[in-house]
Amino acid sequence: EVQLVESGGALVQPGGSLRLSCAASGFTFSDYNMDWVRQAPGKGLEWVGHIRRKSSSYTTEYAASVKGRFAISRDDSKNLLYLQMNSLKTEDTAVYYCTKVDSSADDSFDPWGQGTLVSVSS
Amino acid sequence: DIQMTQSPSSLSATVGDRVTITCRASQGIRDDLGWYQQKPGKAPKRLIYDASNLSSGVPSRFSGSASGTVFTLTISSLQPDDFATYYCLQHYTYPLTFGGGTKVEIK
């Protein structure tokens, strides 16, 4: 069974840093591009960023709202995806989901992890 | 950036109703659009990819279509399990963008 499990969410002060992890299982992680999506409380979904696989040099894409503050990386040897979040703002408060890019289905997102909550508050 | 305008933002319907949700892209995105269902407190789930292809395991009462820059999700006969929020997502170009969501509620 393909599974994604996020961890690392916490309460952090504005200006602080946090690293989220996403553990992948049930598929060959290194073969797939991966994304992060977030959802602020009571709001809609917002795409955060994307990381390509090794064959595409692990290149990344980011939403303007997080570019320069967030960084996505991966460790294919451990089947782990990361989201390093720096200079956190109150508006970064959200549930963060990792998701696999399904290259066999028009690069749609499937599956999604259960999410991890990041709260930014003083 | 490509804007995805989703409508309506909410609707009330009865079991058995035919429900239609629309996303309009601000520019052409080919068929690079998916539809996702989200229930409260849960992760989104893919329903449709490539605008009109049904994801494995998704009931056939769900369907997607496209006409130019207008994309439609249709539920042919609403079931109790379908009360949820639905989102479209364009992945034609970065930044990827979601529609604002449509909350389907019980009338």
Side-chain angles (χ1 to χ4, degrees), chain A residues 1-106:
Chain A
E1 178 194 4
V2 176
Q3 193 170 16
L4 299 170
V5 179
E6 302 92 339
S7 62
L11 172 63
V12 62
Q13 292 187 335
S17 297
L18 198 62
R19 188 178 80 162
L20 306 183
S21 299
C22 170
S25 60
F27 65 103
T28 306
F29 178 71
S30 58
D31 285 349
Y32 290 88
N33 301 332
M34 299 290 294
D35 281 57
W36 287 95
V37 175
R38 69 183 180 183
Q39 185 170 38
K43 302 297 184 182
L45 300 171
E46 180 188 15
W47 175 76
V48 172
H50 171 85
I51 185 166
R52 297 178 179 85
R53 55 186 181 171
K54 181 178 181 181
S55 61
S56 297
S57 303
Y58 299 127
T59 52
T60 53
E61 307 284 346
Y62 296 97
S65 58
V66 306
K67 195 169 186 179
R69 301 187 299 121
F70 289 12
I72 300 174
S73 61
R74 60 193 296 165
D75 185 335
D76 290 345
S77 68
K78 296 180 179 179
N79 291 346
L80 285 171
L81 174 72
Y82 300 107
L83 179 64
Q84 176 67 44
M85 302 183 293
N86 299 326
S87 303
L88 281 161
K89 305 175 181 180
T90 55
E91 53 263 41
D92 295 320
T93 294
V95 173
Y96 285 75
Y97 298 99
C98 64
T99 181
K100 169 179 160 282
V101 178
D102 188 351
S103 53
S104 69
D106 195 39

Side-chain angles (χ1 to χ4, degrees), chain B residues 52-63:
Chain B
S52 60
N53 288 285
L54 197 65
S55 190
S56 177
V58 174
S60 59
R61 62 181 179 272
F62 290 94
S63 63

Side-chain angles (χ1 to χ4, degrees), chain A residues 39 50 97 102 106 108-109 113, chain B residues 32 36 38 43 46 50 91:
Chain A
Q39 185 170 38
H50 171 85
Y97 298 99
D102 188 351
D106 195 39
S108 55
F109 290 168
Chain B
D32 293 340
Y36 298 82
Q38 186 180 34
R46 184 183 67 187
D50 203 17
H91 53 85

